[in-house]
Amino acid sequence: MIVLDLRDCMHMDSAGLGALATALVKAHKVGRQLVLLHVSGRVRELLRITSLVSV
Amino acid sequence: MTTFSSDGHRIRRARVDDAPDIAALFQLVYEASSHPCKVSEFVSDTLLADDRNLWLVSERGGELTGCMGMLLHPWNRSWEFVRGLTRPDCRGGGLATALAQHTTAVAWESDSCDLVIAFPRSRTMSRIITDAITPGFTVVGHDGGINIAAGQREYHLVALCVGHGRQSVDRVVPDNNQVAAQDFVQREVIEPLRVPGRAGQYPPVLIAGDHVRHPDYGPFTFEYHPFCPSDSIEITAYTGPKSDPCAIANDLVLTLESFEFVRHVRLAALADKTAFIEALCADGFQRSAYLPAWYLENGARYDCVLLTRRTTAEEPADHGTRNLVDHFSRGYHGRRLETHRS
């Protein structure tokens, strides 16, 4: 399991979303789960909009 | 709904209880290849229960013999051919043509259709929609090789049919625009499509696409599914504050670097944004298709250029479409060289 603590992340732009999507695929390729901790409401909403939260 | 027959086939709207038979049809045709429609629940939940989807099926002797599906894109009032197949033992008798003819007819009769787009993967399907159905489509380019089928990336053509719906289409032609006026675009796209236009000012929008508007989402919005085999992304809008097209193009290229696994990028740029288009072409994008009337704003429709970039050495397969792919690649590329010389 790979844990990413987003405690200090209040905003995420397109490049940040891309980096997160890349981390997700990398984790998947090595058979690991990517777990996000302390996701702010704003970032959570972005993940929902981009459908990244459901994968 | 009116039903039609072709070679003894009855064509009708699909019902939710057709889902198992549709899935079985996909299972029969796709066998070992993956395809979401092989799963009955996917067909029933995602396709038939969604009113943006239009599915027709053909049957003979109580058995399903084919199906064809279109998807409505409300943001620009377009319908897209998304899936279609016929049972192998029913091919060669005009069934696919009848399905395509009837499906487009239903779309044009709806209140929400200004244009229909299709991405034929084979020369056969291309000929059906351009020559065998009425009104016929016009091939306007290719998709740069988005899709993966049976593990192999492949080109699909891009074909359009514009302005046969209930509402007239108010197409705005970019004023003093070299791309739209290019001989190749006029000869291969505008004249065959027979879509009239009036000269006019374009809105400041750079990129046309279906996107969620949210103050935190940007500066580029996108459609990306990390585990989709195509490894493709569509950029659907620019929402940032910059106005310099070269700076925005540079930002886009930098943003794409963070999507490490993306192998194919596409976006529809408004046709008058020539500096933006040129900047992206200098960074490896190519003009793949010219899309008249693709962007809709306040009732007027504006031309777009489909830009694609593939970052894989693998050359996509084609199914008899190579001549057309090369023809459009050369034709649109010619514009770029002319622009550089001027």
Side-chain angles (χ1 to χ4, degrees):
Chain A
M1 183 184 294
I2 300 164
V3 179
L4 202 54
D5 190 338
L6 298 179
R7 189 186 314 259
D8 297 323
C9 179
M10 294 296 115
H11 176 75
M12 194 177 287
D13 68 1
S14 321
L17 289 165
L20 199 58
T22 298
L24 192 65
V25 178
K26 277 185 177 172
H28 182 76
K29 281 180 185 287
V30 295
R32 296 282 189 271
Q33 258 192 317
L34 182 68
V35 176
L36 306 180
L37 289 183
H38 303 116
V39 183
S40 71
R42 291 177 67 167
V43 171
R44 187 185 299 273
E45 177 65 3
L46 275 178
L47 297 178
R48 188 192 64 76
I49 289 171
T50 54
S51 303
L52 290 175
V53 75
S54 62
V55 293
Chain B
M1 170 195 160
T2 314
T3 56
F4 292 71
S5 65
S6 160
D7 198 18
H9 300 270
R10 177 172 166 266
I11 296 175
R12 61 167 172 81
R13 286 256 195 163
R15 303 182 298 259
V16 175
D17 62 7
D18 288 320
D21 291 337
I22 292 176
L25 202 56
F26 275 87
Q27 180 70 42
L28 179 72
V29 173
Y30 280 83
E31 294 180 342
S33 301
S34 64
H35 196 296
C37 290
K38 288 165 73 174
V39 180
S40 176
E41 288 74 16
F42 177 85
V43 175
S44 58
D45 293 350
T46 309
L47 304 180
L48 301 178
D50 182 342
D51 59 8
R52 291 185 311 145
N53 280 278
L54 166 66
W55 276 80
L56 268 61
V57 292
S58 59
E59 57 185 2
R60 189 171 61 182
E63 290 187 350
L64 228 58
T65 54
C67 63
M68 200 156 279
M70 295 181 91
L71 178 67
L72 168 65
H73 298 290
W75 72 274
N76 74 341
R77 291 174 51 82
S78 68
W79 285 84
E80 177 189 351
F81 266 111
V82 282
R83 291 180 183 95
L85 53 76
T86 52
R87 215 170 64 190
D89 62 312
C90 297
R91 291 175 186 165
L95 178 57
T97 301
L99 277 164
Q101 177 69 73
H102 195 51
T103 311
T104 50
V106 174
W108 286 124
E109 286 167 10
S110 76
D111 290 326
S112 53
C113 188
D114 289 345
L115 55 88
V116 182
I117 190 166
F119 298 91
R121 69 191 291 255
S122 68
R123 196 60 188 256
T124 303
M125 196 58 208
S126 170
R127 285 196 181 112
I128 285 174
I129 62 171
T130 57
D131 300 336
I133 70 171
T134 308
F137 285 62
T138 297
V139 175
V140 296
H142 62 85
D143 69 358
I146 297 172
N147 291 280
I148 303 277
Q152 167 78 54
R153 189 171 294 278
E154 58 183 33
Y155 283 114
H156 289 189
L157 299 173
V158 181
L160 275 180
C161 192
V162 184
H164 297 275
R166 292 185 173 188
Q167 292 183 21
S168 60
V169 168
D170 177 20
R171 172 177 168 248
V172 181
V173 181
D175 223 358
N176 299 318
N177 181 270
Q178 291 178 320
V179 177
Q182 181 195 2
D183 284 347
F184 181 82
V185 172
Q186 287 296 318
R187 186 180 66 248
E188 301 288 333
V189 178
I190 305 298
E191 288 168 18
L193 270 174
R194 295 187 196 135
V195 53
R198 59 176 173 87
Q201 192 81 22
Y202 268 44
V205 172
L206 269 185
I207 300 168
D210 188 11
H211 65 282
V212 176
R213 296 173 197 278
H214 189 280
D216 285 347
Y217 188 20
F220 297 99
T221 65
F222 56 84
E223 184 74 32
Y224 175 56
H225 303 284
F227 301 121
C228 179
S230 69
D231 295 324
S232 69
I233 188 170
E234 180 183 6
I235 305 301
T236 52
Y238 174 68
T239 62
K242 293 184 179 177
S243 57
D244 175 5
C246 294
I248 297 169
N250 190 52
D251 286 354
L252 175 57
V253 170
L254 289 173
T255 297
L256 289 171
E257 285 179 5
S258 69
F259 289 85
E260 203 175 304
F261 292 99
V262 164
R263 296 291 174 266
H264 185 284
V265 186
R266 68 187 184 281
L267 62 98
L270 268 73
D272 70 318
K273 306 300 183 296
T274 49
F276 179 63
I277 292 168
E278 289 299 325
L280 286 177
C281 287
D283 264 312
F285 282 80
Q286 68 162 324
R287 295 177 188 81
S288 288
Y290 192 83
L291 306 172
W294 184 246
Y295 178 66
L296 174 65
E297 186 176 306
N298 296 327
R301 307 195 66 99
Y302 303 88
D303 295 0
C304 292
V305 177
L306 178 66
L307 299 168
T308 63
R309 185 177 78 173
R310 197 178 63 250
T311 51
T312 166
E314 170 197 17
E315 180 62 16
D318 66 281
H319 300 275
T321 64
R322 175 66 60 172
N323 287 350
L324 280 170
V325 169
D326 291 346
H327 176 67
F328 281 97
S329 292
R330 277 196 303 269
Y332 293 132
H333 188 66
R335 170 66 259 159
R336 181 183 169 197
L337 295 178
E338 285 174 32
T339 302
H340 281 182
R341 279 200 299 270
S342 60

